[in-house]
Amino acid sequence: ISDPLTGLYNRRHFFELASKEFYRARRYGKNLSLVMLDLDDLKMINDTYGHLVGDQMLIFVAGQCHRQLRKADLAARFGGAEFILLLPETGLDQAMQVAWRLRDAVARGMTTEQGVVVVSGVSLGVSAIDPACKTLELMVNRADQALYTAKASGKNRVCAWVDGQVRSFA
């Protein structure tokens, strides 16, 4: 159920739990938000410092997710350098605040065992349940589109799916 490197849930287990939360939110009209994030320039980190440091950076990002989230929230490694977070009882504005806190925490950098500070950004995409969002897959797709826009518009940004379109927030 967990990713062996980061200790976060793996993708499959995340979707098992997230499906239940999505159903609950739709059924009872509760807020629910989703954040996708991608560690910017992991290949450059691997090429510059080595894959061990790249792995340490992934572990660092996972740790920042744990620090910024509540116990009721779900965090998983989505694949590669991508992570996915589900925030029950959380509206879009609050999810954006979580995304900004994560971006800022990662941007402060990680210190390696050799005392080298490695700095990278994260790009984040946020979506929230609304009446038109009938499936968890659609909610993920919206966050993924927002993430793609964040990457394409300069990285280390937060973008969100709002009223049928992606909006960028620096």
Side-chain angles (χ1 to χ4, degrees):
I1 67 170
S2 63
D3 174 61
L5 179 65
T6 64
L8 297 179
Y9 289 130
N10 65 28
R11 185 176 177 157
R12 187 185 74 176
H13 190 63
F14 172 85
F15 277 103
E16 289 172 4
L17 298 174
S19 295
K20 293 174 185 174
E21 288 293 340
F22 183 85
Y23 171 77
R24 203 173 288 130
R26 290 243 338 133
R27 173 91 167 88
Y28 298 109
K30 301 290 186 180
N31 284 328
L32 181 69
S33 294
L34 191 136
V35 178
M36 291 189 72
L37 65 113
D38 187 24
L39 177 61
D40 295 330
D41 302 318
L42 179 61
K43 181 178 179 352
M44 184 183 72
I45 292 169
N46 286 336
D47 291 348
T48 303
Y49 301 102
H51 286 84
L52 181 59
V53 172
D55 286 351
Q56 290 171 352
M57 184 59 90
L58 291 169
I59 294 166
F60 170 73
V61 171
Q64 295 306 317
C65 290
H66 271 298
R67 285 178 193 82
Q68 300 300 326
L69 299 180
R70 306 164 300 179
K71 289 185 180 188
D73 299 331
L74 301 176
R77 186 165 177 202
F78 195 69
E82 291 184 335
F83 299 83
I84 189 167
L85 316 171
L86 190 73
L87 312 174
E89 302 283 338
T90 305
L92 184 65
D93 290 340
Q94 296 89 359
M96 294 291 292
Q97 291 174 12
V98 170
W100 282 317
R101 282 196 316 265
L102 272 169
R103 184 194 64 179
D104 293 347
V106 172
R108 285 193 282 278
M110 169 199 79
T111 304
T112 67
E113 294 172 0
Q114 295 77 26
V116 176
V117 177
V118 180
V119 177
S120 182
V122 287
S123 298
L124 301 103
V126 182
S127 67
I129 198 168
D130 63 29
C133 188
K134 305 286 187 205
T135 66
L136 177 61
E137 290 75 19
L138 180 57
M139 193 174 181
V140 171
N141 188 13
R142 289 174 172 183
D144 194 38
Q145 288 178 43
L147 171 61
Y148 179 79
T149 301
K151 295 292 264 187
S153 59
K155 300 180 183 177
N156 201 36
R157 296 178 180 269
V158 177
C159 291
W161 180 275
V162 181
D163 298 327
Q165 62 184 347
V166 175
R167 294 207 177 134
S168 180
F169 303 89

